[in-house]
Amino acid sequence: MAALEFQSSFKNINQKEWNDLTKSNPFLRLEFFQSLEASKSIGEGTGWQPFPVTVTDQGRLVGASPIFLKEHSYGEYVFDWSWAEAYQKYGKNYYPKIVSSIPFTPATGPRIFGLDQSIKKYIVMQLEDLAYKNKMSSIHILFCDERERDMHEDSRWMPREGVQFKWQNKHYNNFEEFLSQLSHDKRKKIKQERKKIKDLGFEIKKIKGPEITETDLDFFYACYCNTYQEHHSHPYLTRDFFSLIRESMPENLLLVLAYEGDLPIAGSFFIYDDKKLYGRYWGSKSFYPGLHFELSYYQGQEFCIENKISIFEGGAQGEHKMARGFEPFNTFSFHRIFDEKFEHAIKDFLKREKNGIDQYTNELNERVPYKTELNI
C-alpha cells in the first residue's frame, strides 16, 4: 500500500527519485525548490511555507506535488486578492490557503505527479481531506498542464484561464529568417530597435551557467533589485538563491549581459532546457531605449534558434511582446473553495471572467504579428 506524507521541507526528499518523477521543466527539479528554501527565499517569515506531498511504495517515490501553505497571495501570478478581501468581509479567514505552484514563476507545467492516474487522484483527494479537516478556505493548483484537467472533471474544482505570450521557433535557421515571417511594419520596427542598440556600441554576451561568475551574479542581482525598486516593490529572491542554482543546476541557466566598454550596464536572466527557454528577470543600471527588448526578447530568440529550442515563454503579461513575434496562449489553474455559498459566488465570477478572457484572446489573435495576405 502506497504511503502519502506531507513534508515540512524539500530538504530530505530523494533528489533523483523526485527528478525522475517530475521530468518536465527545470523549475520542477528538486534543486530549484531546495535552492529557494536554503536561500530563505521561501520558508519561515516569507508567507511561503513548504509542505510538499510525497507518495512512496516500498520505499520508492511514486507520487509528489510541490505544495505550499500560503499566508498571502504574492508571487503567484494568478490573482485572487479580491477573493481574499471578499472572504474576509464574509467573516472568515481566507489565509492560510493551500497552493500547488512554482514560487514566483508563472511557468506552465504539471503540478501533480504519479506513476499512474490513480496516484495523482489520490494526492488530490488527500489535499481536499487535509483542507477540509483543518477548515481551510481553499486549494489552488496554478499554471498546471492542460492535461491535468482529467483529474478535476466531475468534481467541485473550478477551472480558471489566463493569457500568456510565447514565441515559437518554427525551425528557423537564423534571426533574419524569423524576421522574414513577420508583417512589414513589425519587421521594420525590430530592425530599427536592434540598429539603435548596435549604434550605441554595446557589446552583448550570452553566458551559460557554468561560465557565470559570482561577480556576474553580483551585478545582475543589483539590477534585479533595481527593477523591483522602480516598481515600488521588494524582490522575492535573495542573492544566495542565484549562487545556489548556479552550483546545483548550471546547465539550465543563461545570463545575457550588455557591456559599455568593460563595464556591464544591464542583464537578463533565463532558465532553459532542451525544449523551452523561460525569460525570468531583467534589470539595468540606467535607461537605454530598446535595451530591454534586445536583452529580454531578441537575444532569447537568437538563443532558441542557435540551440534548436522550440518555445520561448516570456513570463506574465505584456501585450508588447506580440510586436516581437510572441503569440497568445491560454494558461490554466484549478481552484477548490470549501464554503458552498462562497464557492457559488466564485463560480459565477469565473464564468464572467472566462467570457472576458475568450473575447480578449480572440482580439489578440486578430493582431498576430505574422504575415497575412493583407499585411505582407
Side-chain angles (χ1 to χ4, degrees):
M1 178 66 181
L4 183 144
E5 289 185 77
F6 290 98
Q7 311 286 341
S8 61
S9 169
F10 288 96
K11 291 177 191 171
N12 300 318
I13 298 173
N14 184 295
Q15 191 175 97
K16 183 180 185 308
E17 290 183 358
W18 175 285
N19 289 344
D20 285 345
L21 194 64
T22 63
K23 50 190 176 193
S24 55
N25 67 48
F27 299 110
L28 290 167
R29 287 180 60 172
L30 193 63
E31 295 94 323
F32 185 82
F33 294 112
Q34 289 175 336
S35 296
L36 286 170
E37 192 173 357
S39 67
K40 296 183 169 52
S41 299
I42 60 172
E44 188 177 351
T46 68
W48 285 86
Q49 185 58 45
F51 206 58
V53 176
T54 57
V55 182
T56 54
D57 187 5
Q58 297 181 346
R60 182 173 67 107
L61 193 67
V62 296
S65 180
I67 301 293
F68 299 88
L69 299 180
K70 288 296 305 293
E71 297 288 346
H72 52 62
S73 294
Y74 289 108
E76 295 175 13
Y77 301 95
V78 177
F79 302 109
D80 64 348
W81 292 105
S82 60
W83 301 5
E85 184 179 357
Y87 208 74
Q88 296 293 134
K89 288 179 179 177
Y90 184 53
K92 295 191 174 185
N93 292 323
Y94 191 70
Y95 305 108
K97 62 179 183 177
I98 295 174
V99 174
S100 178
S101 73
I102 304 167
F104 326 120
T105 308
T108 293
R111 296 291 177 264
I112 311 291
F113 302 93
L115 293 185
D116 58 48
Q117 195 72 351
S118 65
I119 294 173
K120 297 176 185 179
K121 288 189 174 182
Y122 179 52
I123 291 173
V124 172
M125 287 171 56
Q126 291 302 307
L127 282 174
E128 291 179 307
D129 189 56
L130 174 77
Y132 182 76
K133 286 180 177 176
N134 288 277
K135 298 181 176 167
M136 302 178 81
S137 69
S138 52
I139 310 172
H140 309 264
I141 300 179
L142 308 181
F143 292 101
C144 59
D145 195 307
E146 187 178 2
R147 289 170 292 185
E148 290 189 312
R149 282 174 178 265
D150 295 345
M151 283 183 289
H152 307 290
E153 287 180 350
D154 303 320
S155 73
R156 290 171 61 184
W157 287 85
M158 296 179 286
R160 189 179 190 186
E161 294 185 18
V163 177
Q164 277 187 349
F165 299 91
K166 303 179 185 182
W167 181 77
Q168 298 183 86
N169 178 9
K170 299 168 185 175
H171 306 291
Y172 300 122
N173 291 306
N174 50 54
F175 194 82
E176 283 300 318
E177 189 174 322
F178 153 59
L179 286 183
S180 72
Q181 300 304 304
L182 296 176
S183 62
H184 173 74
D185 60 326
K186 299 294 189 295
R187 185 166 63 243
K188 181 179 178 182
K189 184 174 184 179
I190 290 173
K191 286 183 175 180
Q192 288 174 339
E193 287 177 343
R194 301 203 81 182
K195 185 176 185 301
K196 285 179 184 176
I197 297 302
K198 189 174 182 181
D199 290 346
L200 287 170
F202 298 148
E203 182 184 4
I204 296 173
K205 296 181 182 177
K206 297 187 188 80
I207 310 169
K208 290 185 177 180
E211 285 76 49
I212 296 172
T213 67
E214 287 296 304
T215 301
D216 293 333
L217 290 178
D218 284 339
F219 169 77
F220 172 75
Y221 192 73
C223 290
Y224 165 75
C225 291
N226 187 51
T227 298
Y228 276 89
Q229 289 164 6
E230 287 177 353
H231 290 87
H232 309 289
S233 185
H234 299 284
Y236 293 125
L237 300 170
T238 66
R239 170 64 182 82
D240 285 347
F241 168 76
F242 291 93
S243 291
L244 288 171
I245 59 169
R246 185 181 71 86
E247 292 169 11
S248 62
M249 43 189 291
E251 66 275 19
N252 295 118
L253 309 183
L254 173 69
L255 179 62
V256 179
L257 294 179
Y259 290 81
E260 188 172 30
D262 294 329
L263 296 176
I265 56 170
S268 281
F269 192 87
F270 301 83
I271 290 181
Y272 72 97
D273 60 17
D274 59 348
K275 297 181 182 69
K276 290 185 179 181
L277 176 73
Y278 302 87
R280 296 307 305 126
Y281 307 107
W282 141 268
S284 64
K285 299 281 277 187
S286 54
F287 177 73
Y288 299 90
L291 191 55
H292 170 248
F293 301 133
E294 179 64 37
L295 294 195
S296 299
Y297 304 132
Y298 307 142
Q299 290 292 321
Q301 288 162 330
E302 283 189 346
F303 185 79
C304 288
I305 293 168
E306 291 161 3
N307 293 275
K308 302 189 186 319
I309 293 172
S310 302
I311 300 290
F312 178 5
E313 289 199 14
Q317 304 168 337
E319 285 184 31
H320 62 277
K321 296 184 179 90
M322 288 187 68
R324 280 89 200 167
F326 288 73
E327 298 172 88
F329 289 81
N330 284 113
T331 61
F332 302 91
S333 61
F334 289 89
H335 308 267
R336 178 75 165 86
I337 308 293
F338 287 90
D339 182 279
E340 287 192 22
K341 290 183 180 178
F342 199 73
E343 176 191 15
H344 291 312
I346 295 295
K347 191 174 288 186
D348 185 57
F349 166 84
L350 290 175
K351 191 181 296 182
R352 296 194 309 271
E353 184 184 59
K354 171 100 168 55
N355 291 334
I357 290 289
D358 289 345
Q359 183 178 344
Y360 177 57
T361 304
N362 288 337
E363 290 171 358
L364 290 174
N365 283 325
E366 290 174 1
R367 292 159 41 199
V368 291
Y370 292 89
K371 286 178 181 177
T372 67
E373 291 181 2
L374 298 177
N375 66 16
I376 289 174

